Amino acid sequence: MDSIEEQILVGVSDDVFDRLPDEILLLILKKVRDVKSLCVSMSVCRRFRLVVAQVDEVSLPVPIPRRKTQLEPEPPRSSFIKDLVIKAIMKPLYFISQMMKFKSQNEGNCLDERPIRIPTEALSPFQEIKGLHLRLPCTGITGPRKAPATFLKWKAEFGRELRSCVVLGAKSWRRSEEKSMLCDRETRGMSEEEMKLRIVWTISCLMAASGRHLLVEETARNYRTIEKLVVSDDGDQGKLLLNKEMLEEVRLNKKLDEPQSNRTKIPALKLKMWYLEKLELSNSGGVMEGPTLVVVWPTGDQPAEELQKKAEDTAAAAFLGNGDDDGKLLSEAAKKLMLAKRCYTLEMNLF
């Protein structure tokens, strides 16, 4: 009887993690990704501290900028442009609403604009980081879960300068449980006002992407082991991607002694825009009013046809990475829009 009780006590006191080899424990901890959670787990025991330090892909939330107090003086007028660019980085939809002079329903949730700082000191416990995902704070962003509302998603790739940008937007989006037999409508073209709105969407997303690119340049140079860098926001509205090749371009690019800027310059661009008056997503169960897909690529030295083909391939795969419902919706919408007969080609100068 005593031997059975002893075996039970041993089984209770025995830590399951102690039985796991370090390789399996490392695989488990890699699934956590969140820097704060990983750093907390390092305090559990010496073994955890040694294993967590080997995690090479982490996600780091960027803290919300501190709100302004009554004791702080008003910012000088010279900081207006700087604050405007920060708005574009952190809250593209809010930025658009101000440019278009209509009041956002989510304006009460907006953050007080302050310089964004990446807390890279939180990365010091890790030996060799190969993948870094930065998550910017963001409020007041509308999307599939807050429909009907302006719908806007973007994804950009940057090296030394912009490689490509894909924007998917709609005037409104809503869930629809009914299966309609009607075809997607493309009976008319865009009006002048609709075209202006979509150009503003595109410019806002490009400014957000270029602002985030400048924000991570120092991080890319200081952490040379990073092979993949992703910058997104808590609202999942926009995503900036830099792979190993693009990061090397950033590290080799010497900073010029130019006046201080809050974003990377955007080169001369070409845009291809697909438009439908209405789009019904049968697989995802949604309806978009005025959906538009915009593909942006620089006018480089390569043949225009080759650059356009690369950009369109990027657009086709832009939203395939997410396996959730939102990812399926975005992927289905992008594929259907690229089949639309009506499309527009535009050019944009450097800005």
Side-chain angles (χ1 to χ4, degrees), residues 38-57:
L38 289 169
C39 289
V40 170
S41 66
M42 295 181 81
S43 63
V44 173
C45 61
R46 183 174 180 273
R47 185 190 180 206
F48 268 47
R49 185 167 66 252
L50 295 174
V51 175
V52 169
Q54 301 175 43
V55 174
D56 57 5
E57 291 190 14

Side-chain angles (χ1 to χ4, degrees), residues 81-263:
I81 299 299
K82 181 177 180 181
D83 289 343
L84 187 64
V85 173
I86 293 174
K87 284 182 182 181
I89 298 172
M90 298 183 64
K91 304 186 298 301
L93 274 182
Y94 177 69
F95 174 75
I96 291 173
S97 69
Q98 297 302 298
M99 291 185 68
M100 298 301 293
K101 297 184 179 181
F102 65 83
K103 187 173 181 62
S104 170
Q105 295 179 352
N106 299 306
E107 190 172 348
N109 295 329
C110 293
L111 299 172
D112 182 51
E113 286 69 45
R114 285 301 175 111
I116 308 168
R117 191 185 73 84
I118 300 175
T120 51
E121 62 273 8
L123 303 176
S124 58
F126 303 94
Q127 296 174 359
E128 187 175 299
I129 297 175
K130 293 184 178 179
L132 177 60
H133 182 182
L134 298 173
R135 303 195 310 275
L136 298 178
C138 197
T139 62
I141 296 299
T142 56
R145 296 183 183 86
K146 296 185 179 180
T150 302
F151 180 94
L152 188 63
K153 298 281 185 178
W154 61 269
K155 182 177 179 181
E157 294 182 341
F158 255 93
R160 183 175 59 85
E161 59 183 23
L162 180 71
R163 292 279 193 91
S164 66
C165 183
V166 182
V167 180
L168 177 61
K171 292 171 65 176
S172 67
W173 182 96
R174 70 177 187 276
R175 289 285 183 189
S176 177
E177 302 297 333
E178 299 179 0
K179 300 291 184 180
S180 175
M181 300 301 293
L182 297 176
C183 297
D184 302 326
R185 294 208 306 265
E186 52 176 336
T187 54
R188 63 176 181 83
M190 279 188 285
S191 66
E192 184 177 348
E193 290 301 317
E194 288 175 327
M195 177 64 77
K196 286 181 180 178
L197 176 61
R198 281 147 182 83
I199 292 174
V200 170
W201 285 353
T202 305
I203 293 175
S204 175
C205 294
L206 289 171
M207 290 185 67
S210 62
R212 294 180 187 186
H213 179 258
L214 185 65
L215 182 67
V216 301
E217 275 189 346
E218 185 177 354
T219 302
R221 290 190 177 96
N222 293 341
Y223 293 85
R224 294 188 168 271
T225 60
I226 296 177
E227 298 178 354
K228 181 180 180 181
L229 180 58
V230 179
V231 187
S232 65
D233 53 77
D234 287 342
D236 288 328
Q237 186 182 58
K239 184 178 292 186
L240 173 69
L241 300 177
L242 291 89
N243 60 23
K244 185 176 181 179
E245 178 189 351
M246 298 171 190
L247 286 165
E248 284 302 315
E249 284 187 12
V250 172
R251 292 166 185 144
L252 294 174
N253 183 36
K254 295 182 179 179
K255 285 190 173 181
L256 301 176
D257 295 330
E258 297 178 350
Q260 187 176 4
S261 175
N262 297 102
R263 61 178 181 85

